[in-house]
Amino acid sequence: MTELYGAIEAGGTKFAVAVGYKNGEILKRGTIKTTTPEDTMAQVFDFFDQYQDDIISFGIGSFGPIGVNEKLENYGYITDTPKVAWQNYNFIGDMKVHYDVPMLWTTDVNVAAYGEHILGAGQNFDNVFYTTIGTGVGSGVITRGEVYNGRAHPETGHLMMRRHPEDNFEGTCPFHKDCLEGLACGPAIEARWGEKAYDLNENHKAWEFEAYYLAQAALDFTLTFSPDIMIFGGGVSKQEHLMDMIRDEFAKMMNGYITLPDLKDYIVPVSLGDDAGIIGSLLLAEKVAR
Amino acid sequence: MTELYGAIEAGGTKFAVAVGYKNGEILKRGTIKTTTPEDTMAQVFDFFDQYQDDIISFGIGSFGPIGVNEKLENYGYITDTPKVAWQNYNFIGDMKVHYDVPMLWTTDVNVAAYGEHILGAGQNFDNVFYTTIGTGVGSGVITRGEVYNGRAHPETGHLMMRRHPEDNFEGTCPFHKDCLEGLACGPAIEARWGEKAYDLNENHKAWEFEAYYLAQAALDFTLTFSPDIMIFGGGVSKQEHLMDMIRDEFAKMMNGYITLPDLKDYIVPVSLGDDAGIIGSLLLAEKVAR
């Protein structure tokens, strides 16, 4: 019998699924559209059922908010998501009905952070802070080599921001208007400038604002979690010129208060790209199987 | 032989020292003025030498910044403090010369957080966030029952703040002017209003500003660390009316985004008062002796 690990990266628009071996090595992968739990999960079960006898554990990273605290009743659930069909869906309960093996359940950003921690930019560090900037903004955190959760999981997209002095855009967050996500996510950039982020050229004012907000977020994360490395992923961070702009703003804001590694080694882009999440899920399955 | 624990809360103006038993029970305590390492530590050693044969471990919380990462060369040191005499003082190295027992070394705010976690307001919770607002602002963090450190320790006093719209005070922080500490610590209140915080009456505008900044800090801590409880200590937080003002501002800022316990049980004053630190140090000595 071959021992296999199961991995699910449950995103708001699509699920990535995979089975594989140790060290994040993928045997087979698939993509499933996120529609309703009934429909999407039926396909998830179809995928894994082929390997049912060999899968010894699962690593699952889900869009949120999700219940991650085993002491609370909502553990294993997707909770009050704006995706109505998925509200209060008992993800782990449903998985356990099908597969009676250990499961590591955490956020989609935490699995990506773990992937980067083991095989990516964060592989030499115990404390890895990963932030994705795309349709939304969220962070995954590894502390002392473990996926971080408190009472709930981090929700860094909603940090209160000091505004860039020239930025009058009201913000897109339905809860807070001009929190980090409301000012800096992809849809906020598009709403502010009337063009998608990837259509804006390198010298566009948009990037000055973006760097200002992401540097401010990096500052706050440094002052709270004190990670060894600060990794940015997601669609918006694919702009290569943006990293240096963030580093420059960050240095100005920090003003030498904390001694840090060279910022080129501290504020970095994701190194596993879009695979960080599914590889991280596989690695977490391996970890929970031990 | 009686087994005793040694405790040091090393503050910028005074050291509290104690020996005691399990469960934070103090046998003998003392206070020593913070002058130079030579002078202050000579008195520290005099105090503990009486119990040298019985002390089986130490818990030490120090003013900072300090080196807390065992992988870095500055572990056990007070590092680049503005107190010149204490810069690069090898605190743990010096202690180990005198006492060859296990030592738990962390920040002064982390020992207070641990005291509150075991015997105070946070005693039913795994994740406790403690913030002191006095001469400075700093936070101690307990996650999963352990003192939190990353690469370094949290430095929450220097978070970037959104300004209260009516606040034009430039701020007192020598590094950042108007960070959290620069706008909300005791000396900032005094510099802004020309009176010490404890002389300002309950209806003074000062408290509206203060609640705004502390609520904003509580929001950012909730969105990053996601603690079970948010405890405020230090001189400024002794204003009883301030807690409700912080809760009200916090509720407005969060705007229902995260489901939390009743805010009266979530945002609370320190319950061990000024003893949180020395009791926490004693409890950490007990923990490290195991």
Side-chain angles (χ1 to χ4, degrees):
Chain A
M1 174 182 143
T2 324
E3 290 194 341
L4 292 177
Y5 305 109
I8 304 175
E9 186 192 13
T13 55
K14 64 178 170 34
F15 276 40
V17 290
V19 289
Y21 310 103
K22 281 184 198 290
N23 304 319
E25 197 192 331
I26 292 171
L27 163 65
K28 177 78 189 270
R29 63 196 294 171
T31 301
I32 295 162
K33 206 176 159 198
T34 309
T35 56
T36 63
E38 294 69 29
D39 176 53
T40 302
M41 293 306 290
Q43 295 177 67
V44 168
F45 300 138
D46 279 349
F47 178 85
F48 289 112
D49 281 350
Q50 312 164 58
Y51 307 95
Q52 179 151 16
D53 296 339
D54 301 326
I55 293 177
I56 61 164
S57 62
F58 278 93
I60 306 167
S62 175
F63 71 90
I66 65 174
V68 289
N69 187 329
E70 299 192 29
K71 293 186 176 174
L72 300 180
E73 287 184 1
N74 66 8
Y75 178 79
Y77 282 68
I78 296 179
T79 59
D80 42 1
T81 169
K83 295 182 184 298
V84 180
W86 293 85
Q87 282 171 3
N88 300 311
Y89 171 59
N90 186 354
F91 200 126
I92 290 298
D94 211 2
M95 284 292 292
K96 287 274 185 185
V97 168
H98 288 254
Y99 314 107
D100 184 23
V101 295
M103 298 183 188
L104 192 304
W105 164 250
T106 192
T107 60
D108 48 0
V109 272
N110 265 349
V111 295
Y114 195 74
E116 287 290 309
H117 166 56
I118 299 293
L119 292 177
Q123 67 183 289
N124 296 315
F125 302 113
D126 293 335
N127 306 292
V128 173
F129 204 98
Y130 169 80
T131 302
T132 178
I133 307 104
T135 313
V137 175
S139 300
V141 191
I142 306 300
T143 60
R144 298 172 184 156
E146 302 284 333
V147 166
Y148 182 84
N149 292 302
R151 180 180 186 280
H153 50 77
E155 284 280 5
T156 61
H158 299 270
L159 287 179
M160 193 177 265
M161 289 282 107
R162 180 181 298 181
R163 275 177 171 277
H164 187 289
E166 296 168 58
D167 185 10
N168 298 313
F169 179 63
E170 71 167 352
T172 59
C173 175
F175 289 88
H176 312 116
K177 295 280 188 195
D178 57 356
C179 57
L180 173 58
E181 183 169 295
L183 291 171
C185 70
I189 297 173
E190 186 175 351
R192 188 193 277 109
W193 303 106
E195 288 183 83
K196 285 189 187 296
Y198 52 73
D199 288 330
L200 299 169
N201 76 49
E202 287 192 13
N203 301 316
H204 197 286
K205 190 84 176 172
W207 301 116
E208 183 187 325
F209 289 10
E210 192 70 11
Y212 182 85
Y213 296 123
L214 297 184
Q216 191 177 151
L219 180 85
D220 288 357
F221 302 151
T222 300
L223 294 167
T224 50
F225 273 102
S226 188
D228 293 304
I229 191 165
M230 182 80 58
I231 303 174
F232 285 103
V236 172
S237 70
K238 287 180 182 167
Q239 306 290 328
E240 281 180 32
H241 66 292
L242 187 58
M243 283 301 140
D244 270 335
M245 295 179 72
I246 297 171
R247 292 178 190 121
D248 290 347
E249 276 294 338
F250 178 90
K252 270 191 259 176
M253 290 174 181
M254 186 62 90
N255 197 24
Y257 180 69
I258 288 182
T259 307
L260 287 165
D262 188 315
L263 293 186
K264 283 209 179 303
D265 303 320
Y266 182 66
I267 296 176
V268 302
V270 63
S271 68
L272 301 177
D274 295 335
D275 280 350
I278 195 69
I279 290 174
S281 302
L282 208 48
L283 291 163
L284 281 166
E286 178 185 341
K287 185 178 168 75
V288 79
R290 278 175 209 154
Chain B
M1 175 179 139
T2 325
E3 289 193 341
L4 292 177
Y5 305 111
I8 305 175
E9 186 192 13
T13 54
K14 64 176 171 28
F15 277 38
V17 290
V19 290
Y21 309 104
K22 280 183 199 289
N23 305 317
E25 195 192 331
I26 292 172
L27 164 65
K28 177 78 188 272
R29 64 196 293 170
T31 301
I32 296 162
K33 205 175 160 198
T34 308
T35 56
T36 63
E38 293 70 29
D39 177 54
T40 302
M41 294 305 289
Q43 295 177 64
V44 168
F45 299 139
D46 278 348
F47 178 84
F48 289 112
D49 281 349
Q50 315 163 56
Y51 306 96
Q52 178 151 17
D53 294 340
D54 301 326
I55 293 176
I56 61 167
S57 62
F58 278 93
I60 306 168
S62 175
F63 71 89
I66 65 174
V68 289
N69 187 329
E70 298 191 30
K71 292 187 176 173
L72 301 181
E73 287 184 3
N74 67 8
Y75 178 78
Y77 282 68
I78 297 179
T79 57
D80 43 2
T81 169
K83 292 181 188 298
V84 179
W86 293 85
Q87 281 172 4
N88 301 311
Y89 171 58
N90 185 356
F91 200 128
I92 290 298
D94 211 2
M95 284 292 291
K96 286 275 185 184
V97 168
H98 288 255
Y99 314 107
D100 185 24
V101 295
M103 297 182 189
L104 192 305
W105 164 250
T106 191
T107 60
D108 48 1
V109 274
N110 265 349
V111 295
Y114 195 74
E116 287 291 308
H117 166 56
I118 299 293
L119 291 177
Q123 65 184 289
N124 296 315
F125 302 114
D126 294 335
N127 305 292
V128 173
F129 203 97
Y130 169 80
T131 302
T132 179
I133 308 104
T135 313
V137 175
S139 299
V141 191
I142 306 299
T143 61
R144 298 173 184 154
E146 302 284 333
V147 165
Y148 182 83
N149 292 302
R151 180 180 185 280
H153 50 77
E155 285 279 5
T156 61
H158 299 270
L159 287 178
M160 194 177 264
M161 290 282 106
R162 181 182 298 183
R163 276 177 170 276
H164 187 291
E166 297 169 59
D167 185 11
N168 298 312
F169 178 62
E170 70 166 352
T172 59
C173 175
F175 289 89
H176 312 115
K177 294 278 188 195
D178 57 355
C179 58
L180 173 57
E181 183 170 294
L183 290 171
C185 70
I189 297 173
E190 186 177 347
R192 188 194 276 108
W193 303 106
E195 289 183 83
K196 285 190 186 296
Y198 52 71
D199 290 330
L200 299 169
N201 77 49
E202 287 192 12
N203 301 315
H204 196 286
K205 190 83 175 173
W207 301 116
E208 183 187 324
F209 289 9
E210 192 69 12
Y212 182 85
Y213 296 123
L214 297 184
Q216 192 178 151
L219 180 87
D220 288 356
F221 301 152
T222 300
L223 295 167
T224 49
F225 274 101
S226 188
D228 294 303
I229 191 165
M230 183 80 58
I231 303 173
F232 284 103
V236 173
S237 70
K238 288 180 181 167
Q239 306 289 329
E240 282 180 30
H241 67 291
L242 187 58
M243 283 300 139
D244 270 336
M245 295 178 73
I246 297 171
R247 292 178 189 119
D248 290 347
E249 276 295 336
F250 178 89
K252 270 192 259 176
M253 289 173 182
M254 185 64 88
N255 198 22
Y257 180 69
I258 289 182
T259 306
L260 287 166
D262 188 315
L263 293 187
K264 282 208 181 303
D265 303 319
Y266 182 66
I267 296 176
V268 303
V270 64
S271 69
L272 301 178
D274 295 335
D275 280 350
I278 195 70
I279 290 174
S281 302
L282 208 49
L283 291 162
L284 282 165
E286 178 185 341
K287 185 178 168 74
V288 78
R290 276 174 210 153

